[in-house]
Amino acid sequence: MNIMEEIARLEQELQQRRAQMGERHETFGTKELLHEVVGERIQTAAPMPAAPVFPPAPGPSVLDDVSQGKVQELVGIAFGQSLEEAIRQAVATKNPAIIDAFHASIVDELYDEMVTQKMVPEMSP
């Protein structure tokens, strides 16, 4: 599935999620929902025990250059091949910091593409 098909599929999932949430979705923005949906896909690919949770998204200074490069490589795989392949490769690193940084980066990139394609309105600052 190419990235545009994947983005369309994600947009449908977001619409379904909003419908399930009813009025509560007003306080939950599109980007947050996208983060949740992608996070669920990552969790499915790499089930984590109930207690440990991925640490907060590391800032650029937390990841070394090699790890930052890996995250960018994974984002490139998502856009060049498929999101599922990028998730598979992220999980294969078995590095929670890379997985979490990839999660944050891919959500930003997917959201930006959805805004560009006018699938979702841009968030106001």
Side-chain angles (χ1 to χ4, degrees):
M1 177 178 305
N2 72 36
I3 196 65
M4 293 314 295
E5 293 169 333
E6 187 67 45
I7 288 172
R9 182 173 154 208
L10 286 167
E11 211 286 318
Q12 288 176 338
E13 288 182 48
L14 294 176
Q15 287 178 1
Q16 290 172 348
R17 187 70 53 98
R18 282 186 202 104
Q20 291 170 350
M21 293 177 78
E23 292 180 15
R24 292 182 326 162
H25 93 280
E26 295 298 325
T27 60
F28 217 70
T30 299
K31 197 168 190 177
E32 289 83 7
L33 284 175
L34 183 60
H35 192 270
E36 186 176 288
V37 168
V38 172
E40 288 170 1
R41 289 188 184 184
I42 292 171
Q43 184 68 25
T44 299
M48 298 292 288
V53 175
F54 290 130
S61 62
V62 174
L63 292 176
D64 61 23
D65 290 342
V66 172
S67 296
Q68 288 177 16
K70 182 63 176 176
V71 169
Q72 289 309 308
E73 177 186 332
L74 292 166
V75 170
I77 290 168
F79 277 82
Q81 295 177 32
S82 72
L83 178 59
E84 298 306 320
E85 178 60 20
I87 289 171
R88 187 189 68 69
Q89 288 190 31
V91 168
T93 68
K94 296 184 179 175
N95 182 326
I98 289 176
I99 294 168
D100 194 52
F102 166 70
H103 183 192
S105 293
I106 196 63
V107 166
D108 288 343
E109 295 291 331
L110 289 168
Y111 178 79
D112 289 347
E113 187 62 30
M114 292 172 102
V115 168
T116 298
Q117 298 297 323
K118 299 185 184 334
M119 299 172 121
V120 298
E122 187 169 7
M123 288 188 319
S124 17

